[in-house]
Amino acid sequence: NAGVTQTPKFQVLKTGQSMTLQCAQDMNHEYMSWYRQDPGMGLRLIHYSVGAGITDQGEVPNGYNVSRSTTEDFPLRLLSAAPSQTSVYFCASSYLDMGFYEQYFGPGTRLTVT
Amino acid sequence: EDQVTQSPEALRLQEGESSSLNCSYTVSGLRGLFWYRQDPGKGPEFLFTLYSAGEEKEKERLKATLTKKESFLHITAPKPEDSATYLCAVSYQTGANNLFFGTGTRLTVIP
């Protein structure tokens, strides 16, 4: 069981470039989510999914796209990177039974936009 | 406005010196309160879930409690390996497991 995996671990982008952060889980979890973590702020929800083919916006969705074609994968796309998107990004997953199950987090992707 | 506030921001303890971390919340319809531990450069690691006021959970030197407005994470006789940032989060949305996080308490335990 690998749990939640994320790639890449580090990435540097120039303003305006696009890229995809990968997230995969092998626990057959229905729920997957993306958070960003910035100094002095709590983790903030970007997008989430309650199952394959179903996605929705979280607290800070602007500038990001997601899709969920399989249960296992939930990639996060930056369409046109901006310095304000410099952050550490975490993917998480959980079962979705009454919404009470703990989320398992990946190791994170540290993104710098110059 | 829904809010989760953790205090203190940082805490330094001598090894063996017990203390408590606080998480206060102002959300309506709380479905669960979660405690996570985060080590530098790592993702958050799940510790506890609390669902209703009066509930308590323990794990080694950690004990989490919940009231209607706040939760405490009690650390008894801490060791240097307990040094980490402790995050509190609440779930309050029906139909999804979305979490709203506090900013965390950075704990340092000095040998």
Side-chain angles (χ1 to χ4, degrees), chain A residues 35, chain B residues 2-4 23-27 30-34 66 88-93 97-102:
Chain A
Y35 293 85
Chain B
D2 295 332
Q3 197 162 303
V4 177
C23 172
S24 63
Y25 60 93
T26 56
V27 298
L30 180 75
R31 296 170 62 78
L33 186 140
F34 299 77
L66 181 66
C88 170
V90 298
S91 172
Y92 59 94
Q93 185 173 349
N97 201 12
N98 300 341
L99 296 180
F100 190 80
F101 280 85

Side-chain angles (χ1 to χ4, degrees), chain B residues 1-75:
Chain B
E1 179 182 315
D2 295 332
Q3 197 162 303
V4 177
T5 304
Q6 291 189 247
S7 62
E9 288 187 16
L11 182 63
R12 288 172 64 90
L13 298 173
Q14 290 291 134
E15 184 172 1
E17 178 187 3
S18 301
S19 187
S20 295
L21 281 54
N22 177 262
C23 172
S24 63
Y25 60 93
T26 56
V27 298
S28 57
L30 180 75
R31 296 170 62 78
L33 186 140
F34 299 77
W35 282 99
Y36 284 84
R37 169 191 171 127
Q38 187 175 25
D39 293 300
K42 302 281 184 67
E45 176 187 343
F46 171 77
L47 292 174
F48 304 108
T49 309
L50 302 166
Y51 297 121
S52 57
E55 190 173 0
E56 298 183 351
K57 289 193 177 172
E58 287 189 67
K59 180 180 179 179
E60 296 181 357
R61 296 176 292 281
L62 300 177
K63 178 180 172 181
T65 62
L66 181 66
T67 72
K68 288 187 177 179
K69 292 296 183 187
E70 59 191 347
S71 177
F72 292 93
L73 185 65
H74 307 277
I75 303 175

